[in-house]
Amino acid sequence: MMASQSAELIGLRVSRETTERLQHFTQLFLKWAKTINLVAPSTLGDLDNRHIRDSAQIYALAPGPKTWIDLGSGGGFPGVITAILLSEISEGWVHLVESNQKKAAFLRVALQETGARGSVHVLRIEDAPAKIPTCDAISARAVADLSLLLQFIAPWMASGATRAFFHKGRDYETEVANARGRYDVDLVKHQSIVEADSVILEITRMQQLSQGAGAINVAR
C-alpha cells in the first residue's frame, strides 16, 4: 500500500506534493532503520499500515493548523507524519520531543528533507513544558502507560484548551483502571482503523486530584 492510499483510507485527501513527502519519508526511514532501532524490526514489512497510516489517524481526528507537541517522537510516529500533513495547509507546527541523540538526528533530517512543518527538541519529556509552555494538541505513541502520560501532560492541560491523543493497544482498559483515583479526566475512545484491538484515547480535560478522589469518564 502506498502512502497516498493510506491517506485516502483514513479520509484524508492529499496533494501530489504531500504524497511525495510521505514516500520520501518512507525511503529515509528504511535507510536509517538499517543502523538505528527506530521501530520493532518485525513491523518494517508493514511500515505503511502499521506506522504511517496508524500515525495519520491522529491528524484525521484533529485536522487543521494546530500547534502540536509529540512526546517521545522516536522514529517519527506520529510526529513527522503530522508535520508532513500540516505542510498540506502551510500552517500549524509540530514540536517533536526526543531525548535520544541518534533518533533526534534522524528526525531533523526527515523534517528537513520532506519540508515538514516541525522542529526537534532534544529533551526529556518532563523537561519539555519549561521549553514549550503551550500547545493546542499533544500526541504520544508507544511511550509510556496512561498514568505516566497523564503526569507528563498535566502542565499543558491546565489551560483547559489542549487535547491529547494517545495510541493504545489491547491492554488500554487496564491502564485506564490504574489511572483512576489519581485524575479527574474526560476521555474519548476512538477505535483504531489499523488494529482491531487498538484505540486512540483522546483526553479532552484533566485535573490531578488527591489520592482516591479522581474519576475517568469514558465516552465511546
Side-chain angles (χ1 to χ4, degrees), residues 160-179:
T162 301
R163 297 154 68 193
F165 299 85
F166 301 143
H167 286 81
K168 288 295 173 184
R170 65 186 66 182
D171 295 329
Y172 78 93
E173 290 183 339
T174 300
E175 294 190 31
V176 170
N178 289 339

Side-chain angles (χ1 to χ4, degrees), residues 44-186:
L44 287 174
D46 194 20
L47 179 66
D48 192 79
N49 189 57
R50 289 284 298 277
H51 298 293
I52 295 177
R53 185 169 172 243
D54 190 39
S55 295
Q57 293 183 91
I58 295 292
Y59 182 79
L61 289 173
K66 295 175 177 60
T67 298
W68 288 81
I69 294 176
D70 185 52
L71 302 178
S73 297
F77 306 120
V80 172
I81 305 305
T82 301
I84 289 173
L85 293 171
L86 285 173
S87 68
E88 180 83 9
I89 58 174
S90 300
E91 294 183 76
W93 199 258
V94 183
H95 296 280
L96 295 95
V97 177
E98 174 56 53
S99 62
N100 182 286
Q101 291 282 357
K102 291 183 179 180
K103 291 179 180 178
F106 162 71
L107 294 170
R108 289 194 187 96
V109 171
L111 292 173
Q112 180 179 9
E113 293 199 13
T114 62
R117 298 186 60 79
S119 53
V120 180
H121 304 265
V122 185
L123 295 168
R124 298 185 307 166
I125 293 173
E126 53 267 42
D127 296 330
K131 300 291 185 179
I132 318 163
T134 62
C135 64
D136 302 310
I138 304 165
S139 58
R141 182 175 183 262
V143 173
D145 67 21
L146 182 60
S147 294
L148 185 54
L149 285 171
L150 292 175
Q151 179 180 324
F152 284 150
I153 69 171
W156 293 299
M157 298 295 290
S159 69
T162 301
R163 297 154 68 193
F165 299 85
F166 301 143
H167 286 81
K168 288 295 173 184
R170 65 186 66 182
D171 295 329
Y172 78 93
E173 290 183 339
T174 300
E175 294 190 31
V176 170
N178 289 339
R180 285 193 174 97
R182 304 180 188 181
Y183 300 93
D184 183 11
V185 174
D186 288 342

